[in-house]
Amino acid sequence: VVAYGCSLIGHDFFRMMWKRVQLHGFNLRGSVHGTGLLDLPLPWVLWREYRLNGKIDEDVVLRAAFPFMLAIATAMLCILVGHVKLIIAGYTTVEKLSCPDEDSIRENTTEDAVTFILKNTFDRGPKKNFQKIMGTSLVRLVIPLPFYPDPLLRQPY
């Protein structure tokens, strides 16, 4: 959702910043307020403007919102990439965090024991791991439909 918001306002943000560069020139300190590359007014100036006019200038809101949304989208992308790597490897987050690293195992064991310890029994290959977690139907991946597992596959408790 945040990445979608960034894509919606990104073009307007860059067009507005390009106009500011053409008008005032490029200055890392900011050309009008002297508060940095985005050149945002100081918080008390924004508060005074809001109290007097009942709103804040749209350019100021855009210059503040886009970098914030981009930072959140980047952080979410990093988390997504990490979890996709775990899915492809056939691990859960807890399994990966509790698994000892390969170098510490190699110091204390023989080569045959290392391959036995590091073998993940749930790893079925990248494609089957992804299908196991996300399902085989793209429709069910995109549209959250109820899923009823096959009653023949249920195991008694």
Side-chain angles (χ1 to χ4, degrees):
V1 174
V2 177
Y4 180 67
C6 285
S7 67
L8 289 178
I9 66 173
H11 183 265
D12 295 332
F13 172 78
F14 287 111
R15 188 176 62 222
M16 185 249 330
M17 289 301 285
W18 180 248
K19 285 180 184 177
R20 288 181 63 83
V21 167
Q22 287 177 337
L23 182 64
H24 301 288
F26 182 77
N27 187 354
L28 284 176
R29 277 188 344 114
S31 52
V32 178
H33 302 287
T35 57
L37 184 61
L38 295 174
D39 203 22
L40 296 171
L42 296 170
W44 49 85
V45 175
L46 287 174
W47 179 247
R48 188 178 322 123
E49 180 183 343
Y50 178 73
R51 287 182 52 201
L52 292 174
N53 302 332
K55 66 177 190 156
I56 298 175
D57 185 28
E58 289 88 9
D59 286 347
V60 173
V61 172
L62 184 62
R63 286 195 320 256
F66 179 75
F68 180 70
M69 290 175 65
L70 189 63
I72 291 174
T74 304
M76 290 176 67
L77 179 67
C78 292
I79 292 170
L80 177 70
V81 166
H83 279 84
V84 167
K85 283 182 179 180
L86 289 176
I87 289 172
I88 288 174
Y91 283 109
T92 63
T93 309
V94 175
E95 287 172 342
K96 190 63 176 173
L97 292 175
S98 64
C99 179
D101 61 330
E102 190 174 338
D103 295 333
S104 66
I105 293 174
R106 286 193 190 282
E107 293 173 358
N108 302 326
T109 57
T110 64
E111 190 63 35
D112 293 334
V114 170
T115 56
F116 175 74
I117 293 172
L118 294 179
K119 182 168 174 33
N120 183 1
T121 57
F122 299 106
D123 186 12
R124 296 186 173 118
K127 184 177 179 182
K128 287 188 179 179
N129 287 343
F130 196 79
Q131 285 178 346
K132 177 101 171 129
I133 301 297
M134 299 299 178
T136 56
S137 171
L138 290 176
V139 174
R140 287 187 182 262
L141 182 63
V142 177
I143 302 171
L145 299 172
F147 174 71
Y148 303 105
D150 187 4
L152 298 175
L153 296 177
R154 283 193 201 154
Q155 296 177 356
Y157 292 105

